[in-house]
Amino acid sequence: MTYDIKKVAIIGTGIMGSGIAQLFAQAHFSTVLYDAQQGSAQLAKDKLSQTFEKLCVKNKISETQCQTAIQHLSVANALAELSDCDLIIEAIVENLTVKQQLFQELESLVSPQTILASNTSSLSITSIAAKCAQPERVAGLHFFNPVPLMKVAEVIGGLKTAPNIVQQLKLLTEKLGHRAVIAKDTPGFIINHAGRAYGTEALKILNENVSTIEDIDRILRDGAGFKMGPFELLDLTGLDVSHPVMESIYHQYYEEPRYKPNPLTRQMLEAGTLGRKTQQGFYTYPAQEKESIDSTVSVHISANFPTIWIGADFLKDRQILEKYLTDLNIAINAAEIPNPKSLCILAFYGEDTTHACLRYATDPAKSVAIDMLYDFTQHRTLMPSLLTSSESTEAAHAIFSADQTSLTIIQESVGFVAQRVLAMIINLGCDIAQQQIASVDDINDAVRLGLGYPLGPIAWGDHLGAEKILLILQRISTITFDPRYRPSPWLQRRVALNLPLTFSPA
Ligand code: NAI
């Protein structure tokens, strides 16, 4: 069947429906608005017209573009008025029965060629289509809020969706100027699925008392390169939105430990501390002036440690550390076994300092670990053991902040903070690829555009070193016995065969 999409209807003109309508009207599709709530569609049309006028005043669009976009908007007062539409997108209440009923009713009104799409974020497309006479014409077209700015949409085919419909929706989405990624009908599709690792692992780290909310955010933002720390992000989204998504994906995947939510966010949700919208979440709003701690002033490189001994899993990390120390005129003890007077700096992956001290046979009192996974020049994380003396910690602190690079000291954590979070994100991306939920390119682009990460998860794995990511997960799995860290077969095979993580057989 061929489809020529010219006239589009948007049902449900709330936040999402209005945003989707804006895209279509701007791309010169005849766009009909319908909402069950009387007056809502007209209100949405009026607001959109104002939006176009504002964009014109700001020179983002021309006067002609503004007028053309407005002319392409119209309002329907009854579903029957949508009978000649080529595509109908619903953005109504997130309720399976209501969506099923709407699609059944639409089928009795529209032509057999009309494509029916749902903007659902959490319901199965297959389930929505299950009550339809022609489930092959039902697909997911999932935009993100705010629609005009979030330049990505997931196109989802249910079990019975015709592949041609998925392709048509992909082409159409690209005409709107958005990147279309194709996802299998699975819980969370790509973006809400891939987004589970960041907040979930950060909450687990907080729960283990590894560090403070501020410091976990700082490590991941300033060190690992996220735009926002996980707790800043949870506060922005609001726990009323994000906690139910965490629970829903966890249950929809039959209690898969990778997605296990944290009791803390349920409790905060019940207490009404949702984030920015309630002025209280992980932080208090409006933000209070943060005390700036100048870590370089009060600590001095200790004369009690004439040399530094380095234990490193990877030669490159050793070289970076040696160069840094040499530039500071600090003597390095290159002996295989540390001199009893040396301060031992351990650069390892997927362990805590205690386990690393045993492996390197160093004195825990004189051992301090450093996370070398992320850019050493941006930020540093140090991790003493339970027995590390304050003198050793202070010396390491002074050394690694001597060039004014910001630094955070954390309590023991199997795999530091950034290693754990990044390895979980990359491993989840690999699992999504392994399950063929989407292609590698689509996973990477969906996550970059939809979640705002600097790189897609699979590309990020290659950038940091897949071998390191696998080592982190293997060691954490061995030490913690927690199945959430088990490495994806996708990751294991590619590391074993020395292939990039982006490799897919032709
Ligand atoms: P909203 O509450 O802002 O808007 C929903 C609109 O649908 C309302 O105007 C309501 O009057 C109308 N409506 C409800 N039932 C209807 C029916 N049976 N027939 C016609 N109109 C009906 O909701 P929002 O946030 O725009 O979400 C809409 C859909 O988009 C949901 O499926 C949601 O899961 C999905 N979504 C929401 C995102 C978000 O960030 N808010 C992101 C991506 C998807």
Side-chain angles (χ1 to χ4, degrees):
M1 210 179 288
T2 53
Y3 298 91
D4 184 18
I5 300 167
K6 291 205 174 80
K7 189 167 183 182
V8 178
I10 313 293
I11 302 185
T13 54
I15 302 172
M16 294 306 291
S18 296
I20 299 166
Q22 183 182 334
L23 284 192
F24 277 98
Q26 259 180 301
H28 301 172
F29 286 88
S30 175
T31 309
V32 191
L33 305 172
Y34 175 80
D35 197 287
Q37 176 103 31
Q38 230 196 338
S40 286
Q42 184 59 47
L43 190 68
K45 180 177 183 284
D46 295 345
K47 278 198 190 157
L48 282 172
S49 302
Q50 285 168 13
T51 304
F52 292 133
E53 275 154 11
K54 275 189 206 145
L55 288 172
C56 180
V57 170
K58 286 187 191 160
N59 282 327
K60 303 263 184 202
I61 56 173
S62 69
E63 178 61 34
T64 318
Q65 283 171 322
C66 167
Q67 290 311 322
T68 316
I70 293 172
Q71 279 157 18
H72 278 82
L73 287 173
S74 62
V75 168
N77 293 311
L79 277 184
E81 291 172 37
L82 310 181
S83 60
D84 62 343
C85 288
D86 308 305
L87 166 67
I88 299 182
I89 304 170
E90 71 77 15
I92 65 165
V93 60
E94 188 75 337
N95 177 304
L96 179 61
T97 315
V98 180
K99 287 192 199 277
Q100 282 176 334
Q101 278 165 359
L102 175 68
F103 276 18
Q104 270 180 299
E105 192 177 347
L106 286 171
E107 273 199 314
S108 67
L109 299 170
V110 300
S111 93
Q113 273 88 348
T114 304
I115 300 175
L116 303 180
S118 171
N119 185 53
T120 181
S121 2
S122 64
L123 301 172
S124 148
I125 301 304
T126 310
S127 310
I128 294 174
K131 296 272 162 75
C132 287
Q134 277 181 260
E136 64 278 6
R137 60 147 120 197
V138 178
L141 184 54
H142 185 211
F143 289 92
F144 294 82
N145 186 25
V147 180
L149 301 181
M150 298 292 289
K151 300 259 176 215
V152 62
E154 295 172 320
V155 182
I156 306 118
L159 269 190
K160 294 192 175 166
T161 311
N164 188 14
I165 299 265
V166 171
Q167 284 309 322
Q168 288 296 322
L169 290 177
K170 179 179 159 71
L171 292 174
L172 179 77
T173 306
E174 282 162 356
K175 274 193 204 159
L176 305 176
H178 274 40
R179 170 80 164 89
V181 291
I182 296 180
K184 233 190 227 173
D185 186 19
T186 47
F189 312 126
I190 309 172
I191 296 172
N192 281 339
H193 185 176
R196 284 316 92 225
Y198 191 41
T200 315
E201 192 60 19
L203 281 162
K204 191 161 192 310
I205 289 168
L206 182 68
N207 194 240
E208 287 173 25
N209 210 14
V210 168
S211 196
T212 60
I213 289 164
E214 288 84 354
D215 277 347
I216 296 170
D217 273 349
R218 187 173 302 128
I219 292 167
L220 292 163
R221 194 187 51 231
D222 301 353
F226 291 90
K227 276 191 203 133
M228 294 182 101
F231 300 110
E232 292 167 324
L233 184 63
L234 286 167
D235 272 0
L236 182 71
T237 314
L239 288 181
D240 53 335
V241 175
S242 41
H243 183 83
V245 177
M246 293 188 222
E247 287 209 342
S248 153
I249 300 228
Y250 177 60
H251 294 308
Q252 287 190 74
Y253 275 106
Y254 297 110
E255 285 68 47
E256 160 59 58
R258 290 207 203 291
Y259 316 125
K260 196 171 188 170
N262 199 286
L264 177 63
T265 48
R266 161 154 287 277
Q267 208 174 45
M268 288 173 70
L269 181 62
E270 282 164 3
T273 50
L274 307 180
R276 281 176 184 263
K277 61 181 80 165
T278 57
Q279 272 89 55
Q280 180 66 54
F282 290 98
Y283 296 95
T284 303
Y285 300 90
Q288 286 143 347
E289 271 295 301
K290 280 185 195 142
E291 260 182 67
S292 77
I293 304 157
D294 189 348
S295 53
T296 55
V297 178
S298 59
V299 281
H300 302 281
I301 300 175
S302 171
N304 291 345
F305 297 113
T307 60
I308 303 279
W309 185 88
I310 301 170
D313 286 346
F314 291 90
L315 179 63
K316 185 92 193 296
D317 294 340
R318 173 183 297 281
Q319 288 167 339
I320 292 171
L321 291 170
E322 281 178 353
K323 174 159 190 334
Y324 178 78
L325 296 171
T326 310
D327 287 350
L328 289 176
N329 286 323
I330 294 173
I332 295 164
N333 165 14
E336 209 153 294
I337 294 167
N339 172 320
K341 286 203 160 173
S342 295
L343 175 67
C344 301
I345 298 298
L346 306 179
F348 56 79
Y349 291 81
E351 284 175 322
D352 55 11
T353 314
T354 301
H355 284 83
C357 286
L358 293 175
R359 196 164 52 82
Y360 285 108
T362 61
D363 177 355
K366 294 194 172 111
S367 299
V368 179
I370 184 163
D371 187 352
M372 296 296 286
L373 179 66
Y374 62 85
D375 191 343
F376 181 75
T377 64
Q378 294 302 308
H379 179 269
R380 288 161 200 157
T381 305
L382 296 182
M383 179 166 70
S385 78
L386 288 177
L387 292 177
T388 304
S389 68
S390 54
E391 190 190 12
S392 303
T393 306
E394 279 169 22
H397 187 171
I399 290 167
F400 287 106
S401 54
D403 65 348
Q404 312 297 319
T405 299
S406 65
L407 180 151
T408 306
I409 298 177
I410 60 168
Q411 306 285 320
E412 277 206 274
S413 159
V414 181
F416 298 86
V417 171
Q419 288 185 12
R420 282 172 66 167
V421 170
L422 288 168
M424 286 297 275
I425 289 172
I426 293 159
N427 200 36
L428 184 51
C430 288
D431 255 2
I432 293 173
Q434 185 63 47
Q435 291 171 49
Q436 291 195 317
I437 290 172
S439 70
V440 168
D441 280 352
D442 279 6
I443 297 168
N444 279 330
D445 283 356
V447 168
R448 240 180 357 88
L449 297 166
L451 299 173
Y453 296 176
L455 289 167
I458 303 173
W460 213 346
D462 281 331
H463 174 75
L464 294 170
E467 190 191 353
K468 287 180 183 166
I469 301 303
L470 179 59
L471 183 62
I472 292 167
L473 294 163
Q474 283 170 330
R475 285 201 181 137
I476 301 182
S477 298
T478 308
I479 295 171
T480 64
F481 298 95
D482 189 335
R484 67 194 263 106
Y485 301 104
R486 69 195 187 281
S488 166
W490 180 281
L491 172 65
Q492 295 195 40
R493 291 188 192 113
R494 280 156 186 77
V495 172
L497 298 175
N498 203 17
L499 294 167
L501 291 182
T502 47
F503 176 84
S504 293

